[in-house]
Amino acid sequence: MERIDLAGSWTLTQGAARCGGEPPDDAPRAGGSLGGTGSPGAPGGPLPMRIPGDTYTALIDSGAIPDPYYGTRELDTLWVGRSDWLISRSLTVEPAFCDGRHVFLYADSLDTCAEVRLNGTAIAESRNMFAPLRAELGERLRPGENRIEILFRSAEAQARTLRERLPYPLPHTVYPVQSPHRNLLRKVQCHGGWDWGPCLMVSGVYGPIYLGSCSLGRIEYVTTESRRIGRAWQLAVEVEYFAYEQARVPLQIAAGGASLDRRVEVRPGANRLAEVLELPDVEPWWPAGYGGQPLYTLSVAVGDERRELEIGFRTLDLILEDDAAGRGMSFVVNGRRVFCKGANWIPTDALPARQTVERCERLLADAAAANMNMLRVWGGGQYESEGFYRLCDRKGILVWQDFMFSCSTYPAEPWFLDTVAGEVSHQVKRLKHHPSLAIWCGNNENLGALGWFPETRDNLERYRRDYERLNDEVVGALVRELDPGRPWWPGSPSAGPGDYTDNWHDDSKGDMHYWSVWHEGRSFEAYYEVVPRFCSEFGFQSFPSLDTVRRYAPEDQWNVTSPVMEHHQRSPRGNTVIVETMSRYFRLPESFEDFLYLSQVQQALAIKTAVEYWRSSRPRCMGALYWQLNDLWPGASWSSIEHSGKWKPVHYAARRFFAPVHVAAHCADGQTLRVVGLNDTAQARPGRLHLRLLDFAGHARLEEEMAVELAAEAATPLWARAVRDLPVRPEEAFLAVRFLSEGGGKGAAAAVAVHNELFLVPYKRCALPRAEIASRISMEADEALIELASDLPAFFVTLDSGAVPGVFTDNLFALLPGEPRSIRFAFRAEPAGGPAPERSAAEAAASGGAGGRSAGADLLERLAASLKLFHLRGTYR
Ligand code: BMA
């Protein structure tokens, strides 16, 4: 096949003018300091636009609208989503491209209500951004100059029209800034606003777009299924080949040292060419922490058409087993039960043009660095790019893949079911070969949503039937048909296939979304009241660090209840919950920056409490995915990584509480202190456990050291003591846990050194002394070395590098007298594609190079100038 790639420069025109519509009522106004930049209004003439790309980004790049992430400017740009937009370009076609050949247009991710014209003639329409468009062009493509145009009708306007045609209302969750009836569109649901994101109703093209020319036909999909037979593997390969004519063509398939070469008969239309290869000698693929990720190239050729895929070999089963507590839920890979540890993934940016490969790769590397082995691609976002899944394959990150439906009712009429069927079959065929893809899941919280709205509660049977039609009879049925070897899960949360009970508060079976801490305002101790079989969502919000706040709020807004800070908080009770929790556990800070920091400490404590307790309950609990890994704009949210890429303290904590070998401590019943060894590896870990009850002057009031063994793939109770038997009052001391295990042995395990602390009462009740922390910073190789020592116990010690991007070797730790710590800081550039940070000229100069000196000295100077150190205090004066 030959291609003319249509990526690159196009022009963008506001569609209203072109289509004879009226300009929108709320076209941009000139704004004040927080709002618009004083831009003159809707763009007059055509503007340049990069494809792949989106309308908002093109308008921002041309200066026609301000960056919507700053201040409250988002509100000044809502008109963009209410307009129609036309993109166009010319292209030159050589005669040989068309002569005697079959020509077509392919466009992936047309967002969303798109009409395509070639040389003024309508050639295709698309209404679903999750299914590609393939249009045969025939004579309409001519040698020489051609013009292609795509008109994007306002998705919001289309949704309103669809709403008017519905026989009965289809309610969806409502967010502070939102686009109504988004559930009627096959468009990324969170484009229309969410409880952590803006409403930016973008349109554009986000995937490949090209003209293809072929002599006989084209490969549309290559899918695989592998089966283990003893030590060998059987690889079933299916090639979907679209032929224009009947013919006999050569078919070649090769993978892992096996190959076949034969001639096959194809007929006009779609052909399924199915073959099986036997591979005697391939290494299995494992999730991270369980083994390597060997990948093999599969090459397929039909006629002169070729396709290559990277594939891996593993068995994966979802085991649902009845037991004393109900029914277990665990993933078993190559025969080993995997405790799934990770987070929920949302799109990397609200503006698709800013979703760069570099940012995706950085986030996945950071997930792996925090010992995650599973990410859930959440149903209110998008099926991710090919690069995302390929990286998950390479890093050993299992993917829990939702279909893109979330928190709403959805239509069950034929027009909707048809388009969803096309979407599901495309996505399944596109992604099925990835070894990282662990499970298909119908939707996010749609079953629960049946109980959220007066309309659904009053007519539950009707909406339940609609749910079943869409979710089970279309999505589920197609998954079972097209990918029978992979687990299908009806929704998240769910009690399991065929069970329509709401699983929100049931920890006996299925996956659970445990939101009582946060949405119901319960304390962290509520995590001890449940042992989910698999917790696919639980979370706690924090504010981002000051450097991120600076990127959206001017200094006169640096107070959490200021208009801009509230605008960047989309969870309706969000700030109230953060403040209430703070008053429950801590003495209140006085400065804005301490407030941001303490919000991050309590977020880390919440997630740590849950994960350590649930891991301690293995094998009853076999998965914990917190809400949420990343942010798509800067603001308050449940993320563990800020929009800029900076790790929040909870991400450092995750690296410890998700570590394959860890030691947890809790006092779940309020009476007994327990220490539990957590070991997900296949080898038992012997080591020395050192427990101390230290008072706040740093003196040991109880000290015990013992040899212990952490059993393989298990939680091992190591020590317990009744609180009433402790030699101190609970508010006078804290427990310091140290576990050391030497490396070596079978499988050459690495040495492990765990440190963990537990307070016995809320922090605010303890008389924390004023610790003095001495620090020294120097350069060692290309990293900064920060040496820290404290005269008294200091808690939740956190280093913040300000605007200097990079990662510390540890953070959010206790610093005890006589136990200095050396922390290293690895500098790294922010990945390409983020928004231009709003900073003052002086700050920009400080984050740029000073010139004339060694790069190391320059980096060190920048870090030393921005570095801040936080820790918990009894008083902030
Ligand atoms: C969930 C998710 C999201 C939401 C989050 C925080 O239940 O599925 O829809 O953003 O909680 O409220």
Side-chain angles (χ1 to χ4, degrees):
M1 182 171 76
E2 282 181 48
R3 283 182 190 208
I4 298 177
D5 192 354
L6 298 178
S9 304
W10 291 56
T11 55
L12 172 71
T13 321
Q14 193 172 3
R18 164 100 197 188
C19 307
E22 294 300 315
D25 297 341
D26 50 356
R29 325 164 235 133
S33 65
L34 305 178
T37 51
S39 65
L47 300 173
M49 175 161 174
R50 302 282 313 163
I51 292 295
D54 64 85
T55 41
Y56 260 84
T57 303
L59 291 165
I60 295 165
D61 290 350
S62 308
I65 59 168
D67 195 304
Y69 294 175
Y70 195 76
T72 56
R73 290 173 183 169
E74 169 203 9
L75 301 175
D76 297 337
T77 65
L78 295 176
W79 65 272
V80 175
R82 296 176 187 149
S83 276
D84 295 341
W85 294 96
L86 183 82
I87 66 168
S88 57
R89 64 165 281 171
S90 322
L91 58 131
T92 310
V93 173
E94 297 298 330
F97 191 80
C98 318
D99 277 358
R101 294 174 68 92
H102 305 281
V103 281
F104 64 96
L105 167 73
Y106 179 90
D108 196 5
S109 291
L110 284 176
D111 179 15
T112 285
C113 308
E115 294 163 26
V116 187
R117 299 179 204 150
L118 182 64
N119 301 320
T121 309
I123 54 166
E125 278 198 13
S126 168
R127 288 282 177 276
N128 184 337
M129 69 173 284
F130 304 127
L133 174 130
R134 294 183 184 93
E136 300 303 327
L137 301 179
E139 303 286 293
R140 288 173 296 192
L141 184 72
R142 42 190 196 227
E145 197 70 358
N146 289 266
R147 184 152 193 82
I148 181 160
E149 296 168 308
I150 307 178
L151 174 67
F152 293 101
R153 300 259 176 215
S154 157
E156 182 166 314
Q158 295 290 305
R160 283 185 202 280
T161 309
L162 288 167
R163 161 68 190 95
E164 279 153 25
R165 292 190 200 140
L166 289 178
Y168 47 86
L170 290 174
H172 58 81
T173 38
V174 170
Y175 297 113
V177 184
Q178 65 141 11
S179 178
H181 314 304
R182 60 175 177 271
N183 53 334
L184 309 183
L185 301 167
R186 292 315 293 144
K187 173 174 176 62
V188 172
Q189 299 287 278
C190 66
H191 284 174
W194 215 263
D195 61 358
W196 34 256
C199 174
L200 301 175
M201 289 290 276
V202 281
S203 40
V205 186
Y206 313 141
I209 176 166
Y210 59 84
L211 299 181
S213 152
C214 43
S215 51
L216 178 64
R218 59 181 183 249
I219 295 176
E220 296 202 324
Y221 299 99
V222 175
T223 63
T224 63
E225 263 169 45
S226 52
R227 208 153 67 91
R228 186 173 202 145
I229 301 169
R231 282 191 53 79
W233 290 82
Q234 211 172 54
L235 178 70
V237 180
E238 191 171 295
V239 184
E240 205 168 299
Y241 183 79
F242 182 87
Y244 290 95
E245 294 155 31
Q246 182 155 358
R248 267 183 86 70
V249 286
L251 166 70
Q252 288 138 351
I253 303 180
S259 62
L260 66 79
D261 188 348
R262 66 177 53 142
R263 293 187 81 78
V264 290
E265 181 85 16
V266 294
R267 293 170 192 287
N271 293 266
R272 290 204 158 69
L273 312 174
E275 300 289 348
V276 176
L277 292 184
E278 308 283 341
L279 292 89
D281 199 22
V282 291
E283 291 294 318
W285 180 95
W286 290 95
Y290 287 75
Q293 290 78 42
L295 295 167
Y296 297 84
T297 303
L298 164 69
S299 359
V300 170
V302 185
D304 56 1
E305 278 280 89
R306 314 201 147 264
R307 190 64 77 85
E308 279 196 352
L309 296 180
E310 208 167 60
I311 58 170
F313 296 85
R314 91 288 185 273
T315 62
L316 187 148
D317 300 287
L318 177 65
I319 303 293
L320 307 172
E321 247 167 11
D322 288 347
D323 58 20
R327 189 175 311 131
M329 176 167 181
S330 38
F331 288 86
V332 176
V333 182
N334 301 325
R336 280 188 65 194
R337 224 165 258 264
V338 174
F339 193 105
C340 297
K341 299 176 287 198
N344 283 266
W345 172 279
I346 62 168
T348 56
D349 204 283
L351 297 179
R354 293 179 181 174
Q355 296 174 7
T356 59
V357 180
E358 290 84 354
R359 293 176 83 191
C360 174
E361 176 149 29
R362 174 66 62 78
L363 280 168
L364 290 174
D366 287 349
N371 288 308
M372 297 187 184
N373 59 24
M374 182 180 264
L375 290 173
R376 169 169 175 245
V377 179
W378 164 78
Q382 62 200 26
Y383 306 98
E384 276 298 335
S385 63
E386 190 48 35
F388 170 90
Y389 300 95
R390 198 179 310 132
L391 285 165
C392 289
D393 291 344
R394 292 181 184 171
K395 293 179 189 302
I397 298 178
L398 295 167
V399 177
W400 172 305
Q401 179 68 50
D402 282 2
F403 284 94
M404 294 301 132
F405 305 92
S406 182
C407 299
S408 297
T409 57
Y410 284 89
E413 294 174 51
W415 60 272
F416 194 81
L417 300 182
D418 282 355
T419 187
V420 168
E423 162 190 336
V424 170
S425 94
H426 167 66
Q427 296 296 345
V428 172
K429 291 175 191 170
R430 175 174 84 96
L431 300 176
K432 193 180 153 181
H433 65 277
H434 290 283
S436 57
L437 188 62
I439 187 168
W440 293 111
C441 169
N443 62 75
N444 175 68
E445 299 182 352
N446 285 357
L447 188 57
L450 298 183
W452 296 349
F453 315 104
E455 298 91 327
T456 50
R457 283 194 297 268
D458 290 350
N459 216 329
L460 195 57
E461 242 340 277
R462 164 200 280 171
Y463 290 96
R464 208 188 71 96
R465 182 68 194 115
D466 280 359
Y467 174 86
E468 194 171 40
R469 270 196 197 111
L470 172 68
N471 197 64
D472 195 55
E473 293 168 20
V474 175
V475 185
L478 274 165
V479 170
R480 287 187 292 263
E481 177 196 328
L482 299 172
D483 198 6
R486 193 170 261 113
W488 155 253
W489 196 246
S492 187
S494 165
D499 189 331
Y500 286 84
T501 52
D502 174 354
N503 218 48
W504 279 69
H505 290 95
D506 187 348
D507 67 350
S508 72
K509 57 185 180 310
D511 72 319
M512 191 173 190
H513 290 187
Y514 187 69
W515 280 104
S516 298
V517 178
W518 186 263
H519 282 306
E520 293 166 28
R522 307 276 316 276
S523 70
F524 300 162
E525 288 67 37
Y527 287 123
Y528 296 141
E529 293 172 16
V530 289
V531 180
R533 311 315 303 254
F534 192 107
C535 200
S536 39
E537 274 190 25
F538 59 104
F540 202 88
Q541 271 205 356
S542 67
F543 293 106
S545 66
L546 188 63
D547 177 57
T548 294
V549 168
R550 219 187 267 283
R551 299 178 194 218
Y552 65 85
E555 209 166 329
D556 66 354
Q557 297 289 311
W558 290 4
N559 184 296
V560 296
T561 50
S562 71
V564 168
M565 290 299 285
E566 288 194 343
H567 184 73
H568 286 248
Q569 165 60 278
R570 294 300 161 87
S571 181
R573 289 185 54 252
N575 287 354
T576 307
V577 180
I578 293 178
V579 176
E580 186 190 323
T581 306
M582 221 173 256
S583 68
R584 198 179 267 163
Y585 292 101
F586 299 109
R587 300 186 189 183
L588 292 183
E590 286 170 22
S591 77
F592 179 59
E593 230 180 326
D594 277 318
F595 202 96
L596 302 179
Y597 155 74
L598 208 53
S599 80
Q600 299 191 335
V601 171
Q602 63 185 18
Q603 175 191 32
L605 279 171
I607 307 306
K608 174 180 188 280
T609 304
V611 171
E612 289 189 345
Y613 184 62
W614 295 340
R615 282 190 73 187
S616 302
S617 313
R618 176 183 179 145
R620 179 163 164 183
C621 177
M622 284 305 288
L625 311 180
Y626 65 74
W627 184 267
Q628 68 201 69
L629 180 75
N630 53 319
D631 269 337
L632 51 54
W633 84 323
S637 87
W638 297 267
S639 75
S640 66
I641 298 180
E642 297 181 9
H643 184 245
S644 66
K646 181 186 276 189
W647 290 21
K648 287 180 178 173
V650 65
H651 205 76
Y652 289 97
R655 184 157 59 185
R656 297 194 300 263
F657 62 62
F658 279 152
V661 178
H662 184 57
V663 176
H666 62 78
C667 185
D669 60 1
Q671 297 181 11
T672 311
L673 210 52
R674 292 179 199 279
V675 175
V676 186
L678 311 175
N679 181 5
D680 292 339
T681 74
Q683 289 103 40
R685 289 300 298 239
R688 294 208 65 80
L689 180 68
H690 186 197
L691 300 176
R692 281 173 299 169
L693 211 51
L694 295 173
D695 64 22
F696 294 107
H699 300 131
R701 307 288 290 271
L702 173 99
E703 184 160 10
E704 290 184 20
E705 210 183 323
M706 63 206 84
V708 293
E709 183 165 282
L710 278 52
E713 299 186 330
T716 310
L718 299 176
W719 184 88
R721 186 69 45 90
V723 174
R724 63 165 191 276
D725 295 340
L726 298 176
V728 278
R729 292 214 309 273
E731 65 273 23
E732 286 174 353
F734 66 97
L735 180 70
V737 178
R738 301 289 180 265
F739 172 72
L740 287 176
S741 170
E742 283 173 18
K746 202 171 132 237
V752 167
V754 175
H755 57 93
N756 205 346
E757 289 78 29
L758 183 76
F759 273 57
L760 312 179
V761 293
Y763 307 87
K764 66 183 180 184
R765 288 182 49 204
C766 301
L768 297 184
R770 175 166 286 275
E772 290 295 333
I773 300 179
S775 66
R776 228 165 61 99
I777 176 166
S778 58
M779 238 10 224
E780 206 180 74
D782 51 359
E783 295 188 339
L785 179 73
I786 303 130
E787 292 163 278
L788 299 171
S790 182
D791 58 344
L792 290 167
F795 302 96
F796 307 121
V797 176
T798 297
L799 291 160
D800 182 342
S801 61
V804 181
V807 178
F808 296 97
T809 45
D810 203 0
N811 233 341
L812 198 82
F813 48 83
L815 195 60
L816 305 183
E819 296 179 26
R821 302 259 333 237
S822 293
I823 303 295
R824 277 174 294 114
F825 178 78
F827 296 90
R828 56 183 203 179
E830 274 178 26
E838 297 265 354
R839 292 208 192 103
S840 70
E843 282 161 345
S847 64
R853 280 170 309 127
S854 79
D858 189 34
L859 286 174
L860 187 63
E861 188 174 309
R862 282 172 50 204
L863 180 63
S866 334
L867 194 67
K868 289 202 179 138
L869 189 139
F870 298 91
H871 65 101
L872 190 65
R873 291 164 194 258
T875 152
Y876 287 82
R877 295 214 170 269

